[in-house]
């Protein structure tokens, strides 16, 4: 369990003091993937850097598994940091070292291992991230995704109990992003490793996180299980972040798929049909009975829109015929 | 046109020129060695003590920086003379090749240290931060990150310093330091033996060229791509 207790951090800017973090508290359960999202300048980097004290908060405490790291002296903190991995947006690899030597670097810092032991560990880590064949290359010879794999291998070298990711995929193209997110999910599952990641991209939260905190102007404006926050975003910032990414409820299809055995349909209402009892009408016509899984009603620029996610319990017509039937009522239906 | 009598080349005392070359190489080699030994740590100290850096000590930095500036602003000839008592104390003589090495080092160390400081500033902050996040101590950061990551830049700085030292050695004749530059001044400038001057200048040029291409090829070989 990681506990952030009312930390604040101010920066001086031209004689003015601005609060990068304003009384932030978080509780992160062991083994979960915790996302922190917010717009640029919201204080995300400052917050994640407070978790390994690269940045010291002006006030407040950070405890990792019951140990208050803000009380550690420099030496003890350096020791503790060896078991907190960190992954960076711009990778921050040593140009002067090969891939293998980069991964070996934290092992050298920690000491206490023979060269042979270190080499064995490096091979293990490179296998974990799928870079065995690039062992002797320099970072400059790697693609962005490969560099980030090196960054991840390096972060895992000393068996951390916490992995921090600062916009780990923000410099990568969408496909590479997916691959890196999948790798992080794998690592979380395989090693039971707690991951805290920050991002400005709701898709990252959706794909990866169990819990999420929304940060705005240095404050946590919303936090909870990703599912809850997506189904019922409370704060305007959360809602606009969701809307911008084009994610209504349907985005959660992956999660439902695992839990609901029946076929799932997503109904999207835009404009007038939103205000009509369309589902009820179609239900009577074709004997459709559904189990509502989630729904929202909202507005984009004065146009009402809604989304329903429903499990099909019974239907007189084949599920594949439903889209056409709903289309007649001006409602888009997708079978997920 | 200069009226050159190249027959004079036959009369040139090549032994003297050989000796002068050796003197120059000795002064250069020994002073370069001590310059790196003293200038590299000083450069690192300047870098880490600067405001906002790894071990920010603004007062210490201000003092060091001022001293470096003072030494760099003094014309080398003045340094040669001012340092004579100190040199005598340190090496037992204040003249000749041995006497020249102390002022050469004193002149070159601040120059090299400042170059080192600037080279270290080019090291990506993110990489330093990443090392800190892995629990690196200051010594780790200096020896495993700063110096290796900036090696090409450091070699470049050493090359520039060595070339500057060649220039300084020319002035060491003032205290009887000898060497090629001294020869050029004594024969060429003061006795109008232009031929000797040209020969020495050609040798100096070859030395500078050699240093520069050696430096460049080292930099090329240790670049990280
Ligand atoms: N070292 C610093 N000095 C001054 N201001 C800073 C510093 N680091 C961050 N800030 C300010 O703190 C706020 C939060 O920054 P940051 O945590 O980097 O935001 P994010 O990562 O969410 O984009 C910003 O207004 C930024 O300008
Ligand atoms: Mg940031």
């Amino acid at each position: 369990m990681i506990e952030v207790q009312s930390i604040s951090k101010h920066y001086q800017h031209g004689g003015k003091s601005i609060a990068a973090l304003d009384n932030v508290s978080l509780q992160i359960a062991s083994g979960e993937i915790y996302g922190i999202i917010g717009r640029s300048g919201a204080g995300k980097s400052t917050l994640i850097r407070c978790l390994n004290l690269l940045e010291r908060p002006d006030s407040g405490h950070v405890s990792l598994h019951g140990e208050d790291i803000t009380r550690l002296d420099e030496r003890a903190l350096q020791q503790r940091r060896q078991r907190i991995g960190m992954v960076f947006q711009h990778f921050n690899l040593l140009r002067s070292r090969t891939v293998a030597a980069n991964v070996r670097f934290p092992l050298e810092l920690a000491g206490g291992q023979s060269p042979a032991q270190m080499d064995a560990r490096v091979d293990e880590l490179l296998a974990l991230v799928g870079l065995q064949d690039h062992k002797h290359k320099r970072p400059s010879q790697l693609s962005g995704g490969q560099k980030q794999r090196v960054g991840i291998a390096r972060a895992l070298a000393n068996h951390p109990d916490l992995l921090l990711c600062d916009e780990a995929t923000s410099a990568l193209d969408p496909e590479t992003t997916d691959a890196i997110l999948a790798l992080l999910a794998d690592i979380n599952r395989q090693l039971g490793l707690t991951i805290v990641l920050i991002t400005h991209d709701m898709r990252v939260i959706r794909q990866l996180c169990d819990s999420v905190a929304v940060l705005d102007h240095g404050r946590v404006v919303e936090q909870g299980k990703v599912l809850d926050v997506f189904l019922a975003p409370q704060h305007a910032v959360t809602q606009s972040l969701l809307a911008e990414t084009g994610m209504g409820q349907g985005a959660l299809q992956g999660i439902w798929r695992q839990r609901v055995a029946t076929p799932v349909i997503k109904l999207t209402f835009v404009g007038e049909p939103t205000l009509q009892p369309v589902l009820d009408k179609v239900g009577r016509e074709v004997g459709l009975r559904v189990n509502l899984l989630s729904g929202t009603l909202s507005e984009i620029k004065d146009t009402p829109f809604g989304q329903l996610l429903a499990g099909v319990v019974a239907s007189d017509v084949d599920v594949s015929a439903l889209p056409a039937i709903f289309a007649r009522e001006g409602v888009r239906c997708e079978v997920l | 046109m200069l009226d050159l009598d190249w027959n004079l080349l036959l009369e040139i005392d090549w032994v003297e020129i050989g000796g002068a070359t050796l003197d120059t190489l000795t002064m250069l080699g020994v002073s370069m060695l001590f310059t790196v030994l003293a200038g590299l740590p000083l450069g690192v100290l300047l870098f880490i003590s600067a405001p906002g850096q790894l071990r920010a000590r603004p007062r210490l930095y201000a003092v060091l920086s001022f001293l470096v500036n003072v030494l760099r602003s003094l014309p080398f000839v003045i340094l040669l003379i001012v340092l004579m008592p100190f040199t005598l104390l340190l090496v037992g003589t204040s003249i000749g090749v041995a006497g020249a090495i102390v002022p050469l080092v004193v002149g070159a160390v601040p120059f090299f240290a400042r170059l080192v400081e600037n080279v270290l500033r080019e090291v990506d902050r993110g990489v330093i931060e990443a090392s800190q996040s892995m629990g690196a101590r200051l010594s780790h950061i200096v020896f495993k990150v700063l110096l290796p990551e900036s090696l090409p830049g450091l070699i470049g700085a050493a090359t520039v310093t060595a070339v500057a030292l060649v220039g300084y050695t020319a002035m060491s004749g003032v205290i009887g330091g000898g060497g090629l530059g001294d020869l050029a001044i004594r024969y060429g400038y003061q006795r109008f033996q232009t031929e000797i001057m040209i020969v020495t200048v050609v040798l100096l040029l070859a030395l500078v060229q050699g240093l520069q291409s050696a430096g460049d090829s080292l930099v090329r070989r240790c670049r990280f791509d």
Side-chain angles (χ1 to χ4, degrees):
Chain A
M1 167 93 118
I2 296 153
E3 266 190 291
V4 174
Q5 295 161 23
S6 24
I7 57 171
S8 295
K9 175 81 189 180
H10 296 260
Y11 288 113
Q12 309 304 320
H13 242 300
K16 231 175 44 177
S17 170
I18 52 163
L21 292 177
D22 185 5
N23 201 22
V24 169
S25 297
L26 298 174
Q27 293 202 344
I28 299 167
S30 293
E32 77 171 331
I33 305 186
Y34 197 99
I36 298 166
I37 189 164
R39 298 193 185 287
S40 173
K44 305 182 296 292
S45 294
T46 309
L47 176 54
I48 203 166
R49 290 155 54 85
C50 280
L51 297 184
N52 60 4
L53 298 187
L54 278 181
E55 208 79 70
R56 268 203 184 263
D58 302 333
S59 59
H61 297 277
V62 177
S63 5
L64 306 184
H65 310 293
E67 180 186 32
D68 183 349
I69 58 168
T70 52
R71 290 184 204 281
L72 297 177
D73 64 25
E74 169 124 348
R75 246 325 139 78
L77 178 61
Q78 282 163 350
Q79 296 261 324
R80 186 62 185 85
R81 276 184 186 152
Q82 288 166 3
R83 285 181 303 109
I84 306 173
M86 192 165 195
V87 177
F88 302 86
Q89 177 173 2
H90 299 294
F91 326 121
N92 296 348
L93 303 177
L94 291 152
R95 294 184 309 149
S96 57
R97 288 176 172 239
T98 60
V99 166
N102 263 286
V103 177
R104 194 186 157 106
F105 180 64
L107 301 173
E108 293 171 16
L109 296 182
Q113 284 190 55
S114 72
Q117 284 171 316
M118 288 197 272
D119 289 342
R121 178 71 182 140
V122 167
D123 288 339
E124 207 174 294
L125 289 157
L126 289 178
L128 179 69
V129 300
L131 283 181
Q132 305 93 310
D133 300 339
H134 303 277
K135 197 174 165 179
H136 301 295
K137 286 189 181 165
R138 300 263 178 180
S140 59
Q141 297 167 305
L142 301 180
S143 70
Q146 290 170 331
K147 285 183 196 168
Q148 198 56 294
R149 285 171 191 273
V150 179
I152 292 170
R154 178 176 75 172
L156 297 176
N158 285 317
H159 303 282
D161 51 15
L162 172 61
L163 181 66
L164 308 174
C165 304
D166 187 343
E167 304 264 10
T169 56
S170 298
L172 305 175
D173 61 64
E175 260 174 55
T176 316
T177 294
D178 286 348
I180 294 291
L181 294 181
L183 174 63
L184 289 173
D186 257 15
I187 287 164
N188 168 257
R189 229 174 296 122
Q190 280 182 32
L191 310 176
L193 179 60
T194 313
I195 300 179
V196 177
L197 64 91
I198 67 176
T199 180
H200 59 269
D201 187 350
M202 272 293 184
R203 280 169 298 192
V204 172
I205 303 280
R206 176 191 66 184
Q207 281 185 35
L208 205 56
C209 297
D210 302 303
S211 302
V212 62
V214 182
L215 205 62
D216 187 47
H217 292 106
R219 291 167 189 251
V220 174
V221 295
E222 183 156 358
Q223 62 179 311
K225 292 280 166 210
V226 170
L227 198 65
D228 298 333
V229 172
F230 270 61
L231 286 174
Q234 300 299 311
H235 197 271
V237 171
T238 320
Q239 288 162 0
S240 72
L241 282 167
L242 275 169
E244 276 166 33
T245 352
M247 267 182 285
Q249 312 307 301
L252 295 167
Q253 49 171 289
I255 296 163
W256 289 118
R257 270 244 169 92
Q258 292 161 15
R259 307 265 168 84
V260 180
T262 56
V264 173
I265 54 172
K266 181 170 89 173
L267 301 174
T268 306
F269 306 76
V270 179
E272 183 59 20
T274 316
L275 310 170
Q276 304 298 326
V278 175
L279 182 56
D280 184 69
K281 186 171 174 235
V282 173
R284 287 165 200 272
E285 280 174 11
V286 301
L288 174 67
R289 286 170 56 220
V290 297
N291 171 25
L292 282 182
L293 301 173
S294 77
T296 46
L297 185 62
S298 186
E299 258 184 358
I300 302 172
K301 279 188 186 165
D302 301 322
T303 309
F305 88 108
Q307 263 184 344
L308 287 178
L309 215 56
V312 178
V313 178
S315 170
D316 295 342
V317 299
D318 190 37
V319 174
S320 63
L322 290 172
I325 296 167
F326 276 102
R328 272 189 263 134
E329 307 295 330
V331 171
R332 201 167 70 151
C333 170
E334 295 161 72
V335 181
L336 303 179
Chain B
M1 270 304 290
L2 279 172
D3 182 19
L4 297 177
D5 180 359
W6 288 108
N7 287 327
L8 274 178
L9 277 183
L10 301 173
E11 289 157 38
I12 285 178
D13 187 347
W14 288 102
V15 174
E16 184 164 18
I17 290 198
T21 307
L22 203 63
D23 284 350
T24 293
L25 290 176
T26 309
M27 284 190 287
L28 183 65
V30 177
S31 57
M32 195 58 209
L33 176 70
F34 285 105
T35 297
V36 170
L37 286 179
L40 193 60
L42 179 59
V44 171
L45 186 59
L46 279 169
F47 172 74
I48 63 175
S49 66
Q53 287 296 350
L54 289 165
R55 283 290 181 280
R57 300 281 185 279
R59 297 271 289 278
L60 173 69
Y61 180 77
V63 171
L64 287 177
S65 188
F66 179 72
L67 286 176
V68 162
N69 288 345
V70 167
L71 286 175
R72 287 189 61 196
S73 63
L74 281 182
F76 184 65
V77 179
I78 295 181
L79 203 59
L80 271 177
I81 294 160
V82 169
L83 283 177
M84 284 180 82
F86 174 66
T87 308
L88 183 64
L89 214 70
L90 207 64
V91 293
T93 174
S94 60
I95 56 166
V97 170
I101 283 170
V102 173
L104 283 172
V105 172
V106 173
V109 162
F111 180 72
F112 182 60
R114 193 62 98 185
L115 292 180
V116 168
E117 183 196 3
N118 284 323
V119 168
L120 296 181
R121 277 190 194 164
E122 297 297 313
V123 175
D124 185 356
R125 271 204 90 98
V127 172
I128 297 174
E129 198 175 283
S131 339
Q132 288 174 315
S133 82
M134 289 178 258
R137 285 181 260 130
L138 182 64
S139 60
H140 288 140
I141 294 178
V142 170
F143 291 106
K144 284 180 181 286
V145 182
L146 289 176
L147 297 179
E149 286 289 291
S150 57
L151 191 60
L154 292 174
I155 293 172
T159 309
V160 172
T161 306
V163 169
L165 271 172
V166 172
Y168 289 171
T169 59
M171 284 177 263
S172 65
V174 174
I175 57 160
L180 287 170
D182 176 45
L183 211 60
I185 291 169
R186 276 192 292 132
Y187 286 85
Y189 181 67
Q190 287 162 356
R191 294 193 215 159
F192 304 106
Q193 294 186 12
T194 315
E195 294 77 9
I196 289 208
M197 191 177 76
I198 289 175
V199 169
T200 55
V201 167
V202 166
L203 286 172
L204 283 171
L205 180 67
L207 181 57
V208 169
Q209 281 284 0
L211 285 171
Q212 191 64 51
S213 15
D216 287 349
S217 90
L218 267 179
V219 169
R220 254 198 313 280
R221 243 194 291 163
C222 70
R223 266 207 327 243
F224 308 128
D225 39 41

